[in-house]
Coordinates of all heavy atoms in Angstrom, one line a residue:
A234 N 146.7 135.2 68.6 CA 147.0 134.0 67.9 C 148.0 133.1 68.6 O 148.0 131.8 68.6 CB 147.5 134.2 66.6
P236 N 149.5 130.9 72.1 CA 148.9 130.5 73.2 C 149.0 131.4 74.5 O 148.1 131.5 75.1 CB 149.6 129.1 73.3 CG 149.9 128.7 71.9 CD 150.2 130.0 71.4
Y239 N 146.5 134.2 73.9 CA 144.9 133.9 74.0 C 144.7 133.3 75.2 O 143.4 133.3 75.6 CB 144.5 133.2 72.7 CG 144.9 131.7 72.5 CD1 144.6 130.6 73.4 CD2 145.8 131.4 71.4 CE1 144.9 129.4 73.1 CE2 146.1 130.0 71.2 CZ 145.8 129.1 72.0 OH 146.1 127.8 71.8
E275 N 143.9 124.9 64.3 CA 143.5 124.5 65.6 C 142.1 123.9 65.6 O 141.7 123.3 66.5 CB 143.7 125.6 66.6 CG 145.0 126.0 66.8 CD 145.8 125.4 67.8 OE1 145.3 124.7 68.6 OE2 147.0 125.4 67.6
R299 N 143.5 125.2 75.7 CA 143.4 125.8 74.4 C 141.9 126.1 73.7 O 141.8 126.6 72.6 CB 144.2 124.9 73.5 CG 145.7 124.9 73.6 CD 146.4 123.8 72.8 NE 146.8 124.3 71.7 CZ 148.1 124.5 71.3 NH1 149.0 124.4 72.0 NH2 148.3 125.1 70.0
N331 N 150.4 127.0 61.0 CA 151.5 127.8 61.6 C 152.3 128.7 60.5 O 152.9 128.2 59.7 CB 152.6 126.9 62.3 CG 151.9 126.1 63.4 OD1 151.1 125.4 63.3 ND2 152.4 126.5 64.6
G342 N 155.9 133.7 72.5 CA 156.0 132.4 73.0 C 155.7 131.4 71.9 O 155.9 130.2 72.1
R343 N 155.5 131.9 70.7 CA 155.4 130.9 69.6 C 156.8 130.5 69.3 O 157.8 131.1 69.5 CB 154.7 131.6 68.3 CG 153.2 131.8 68.6 CD 152.5 132.3 67.2 NE 152.3 133.7 67.2 CZ 151.6 134.3 66.3 NH1 151.0 133.6 65.4 NH2 151.4 135.7 66.3
V344 N 156.8 129.3 68.7 CA 158.1 128.6 68.5 C 159.1 129.2 67.7 O 160.3 129.3 68.1 CB 157.9 127.1 68.2 CG1 157.4 127.0 66.7 CG2 159.0 126.2 68.5
V345 N 158.7 129.8 66.6 CA 159.7 130.3 65.8 C 160.4 131.6 66.3 O 161.5 131.8 66.4 CB 159.2 130.6 64.3 CG1 160.2 131.5 63.5 CG2 158.8 129.4 63.5
S347 N 160.2 132.4 69.5 CA 160.9 132.1 70.7 C 162.4 131.7 70.3 O 163.3 132.1 71.0 CB 160.3 131.0 71.5 OG 159.0 131.6 72.0
F348 N 162.4 130.7 69.5 CA 163.8 130.1 69.3 C 164.6 131.2 68.6 O 165.9 131.2 69.0 CB 163.6 128.9 68.3 CG 163.0 127.6 69.0 CD1 162.8 127.6 70.2 CD2 162.9 126.5 68.1 CE1 162.2 126.4 70.8 CE2 162.4 125.3 68.6 CZ 162.0 125.3 70.1
Q351 N 165.7 133.7 71.5 CA 166.7 133.0 72.4 C 168.0 132.8 71.8 O 169.0 133.0 72.4 CB 166.1 131.6 72.8 CG 164.8 131.7 73.6 CD 164.1 130.3 73.7 OE1 164.2 129.4 72.9 NE2 163.3 130.3 74.8
T359 N 164.5 126.6 74.5 CA 163.5 125.8 75.1 C 162.6 124.9 74.3 O 161.6 125.4 73.7 CB 162.6 126.7 76.1 OG1 162.0 127.7 75.2 CG2 163.4 127.2 77.2
I360 N 162.9 123.5 74.1 CA 162.1 122.6 73.5 C 161.0 122.1 74.5 O 161.4 121.7 75.6 CB 162.8 121.5 72.9 CG1 163.7 122.0 71.7 CG2 161.9 120.3 72.4 CD1 164.4 121.0 70.8
F361 N 159.8 122.2 74.2 CA 158.8 121.7 75.1 C 158.5 120.1 74.7 O 158.4 119.9 73.5 CB 157.5 122.4 74.9 CG 157.6 123.9 75.3 CD1 156.7 124.7 74.9 CD2 158.7 124.4 76.2 CE1 156.8 126.2 75.3 CE2 158.7 125.7 76.6 CZ 157.8 126.6 76.1
G362 N 158.5 119.3 75.7 CA 158.5 117.9 75.4 C 159.8 117.3 74.9 O 160.9 117.9 75.1
Q366 N 157.4 116.2 68.4 CA 156.1 116.9 67.8 C 156.3 117.6 66.6 O 157.5 118.2 66.4 CB 155.3 117.7 68.8 CG 155.8 118.9 69.1 CD 156.9 119.0 70.3 OE1 157.7 118.0 70.5 NE2 156.9 120.2 71.1
R368 N 155.3 120.4 63.2 CA 154.6 121.5 62.7 C 155.0 121.7 61.4 O 156.0 121.4 61.0 CB 154.7 122.7 63.6 CG 154.2 122.9 65.0 CD 152.7 122.7 65.0 NE 152.2 122.8 66.5 CZ 152.2 121.8 67.3 NH1 152.5 120.5 66.9 NH2 151.8 122.0 68.6
F370 N 155.6 124.9 58.8 CA 155.7 126.4 58.8 C 155.7 127.0 57.5 O 156.4 126.6 56.5 CB 157.0 126.6 59.5 CG 157.2 126.1 60.9 CD1 158.0 124.9 61.1 CD2 156.5 126.6 62.0 CE1 158.1 124.5 62.4 CE2 156.6 126.1 63.3 CZ 157.4 125.1 63.5
I404 N 159.9 119.8 66.1 CA 160.3 121.0 66.6 C 162.0 120.9 67.1 O 162.7 122.0 67.0 CB 159.5 121.1 68.0 CG1 158.1 121.4 67.6 CG2 160.1 122.2 68.9 CD1 157.8 122.5 66.7
L426 N 156.0 119.5 78.2 CA 155.1 119.7 77.1 C 153.7 120.3 77.7 O 153.2 119.9 78.6 CB 154.8 118.4 76.4 CG 154.2 118.6 75.0 CD1 155.1 119.3 74.0 CD2 153.6 117.3 74.5
P427 N 153.3 121.5 77.2 CA 152.1 122.2 77.7 C 150.8 121.2 77.5 O 150.8 120.3 76.6 CB 151.9 123.4 76.9 CG 153.2 123.7 76.3 CD 153.8 122.3 76.2
D430 N 149.0 119.9 73.8 CA 149.8 120.5 72.8 C 149.8 119.3 71.6 O 150.0 118.2 71.8 CB 151.3 120.4 73.3 CG 152.2 121.3 72.4 OD1 152.8 120.7 71.5 OD2 152.4 122.4 72.7
P431 N 149.4 119.7 70.3 CA 149.1 118.8 69.3 C 150.4 118.0 68.9 O 151.5 118.7 68.8 CB 148.6 119.6 68.1 CG 148.0 120.8 68.8 CD 148.8 121.1 70.0
R434 N 151.1 118.3 63.0 CA 150.1 119.0 62.2 C 150.8 119.3 60.8 O 151.9 119.7 60.6 CB 149.9 120.4 62.8 CG 148.6 121.0 62.6 CD 148.4 122.2 63.2 NE 148.1 122.3 64.5 CZ 148.5 123.2 65.4 NH1 149.5 123.9 65.1 NH2 148.0 123.2 66.7
Ligands
UDP701 N1 157.4 125.1 71.5 C1 158.6 124.7 72.1 N2 159.4 125.7 72.7 C2 158.9 127.1 72.7 C3 157.6 127.3 72.1 C4 156.9 126.3 71.5 O1 159.0 123.6 71.9 O2 159.6 127.9 73.3 C5 156.6 123.9 70.8 C6 155.2 123.9 71.3 O3 155.0 123.0 72.4 C7 154.5 123.2 70.2 C8 155.2 123.8 69.0 O4 156.5 124.4 69.5 O5 154.7 121.8 70.2 C9 154.5 124.9 68.3 O6 154.0 126.0 69.3 P1 153.5 127.3 68.8 O7 153.0 127.9 70.2 O8 154.3 128.1 68.1 O9 152.3 126.8 68.0 P2 151.0 125.9 68.1 O10 151.3 125.0 69.2 O11 149.7 126.8 68.5 O12 151.1 125.2 66.9

Side-chain angles (χ1 to χ4, degrees):
Y239 69 66
E275 296 281 332
R299 293 175 87 105
N331 296 63
R343 283 191 264 191
V344 69
V345 173
S347 296
F348 285 1
Q351 287 166 341
T359 52
I360 290 184
F361 299 159
Q366 73 271 34
R368 294 292 186 273
F370 299 103
I404 295 304
L426 194 66
D430 199 274
R434 212 184 276 137

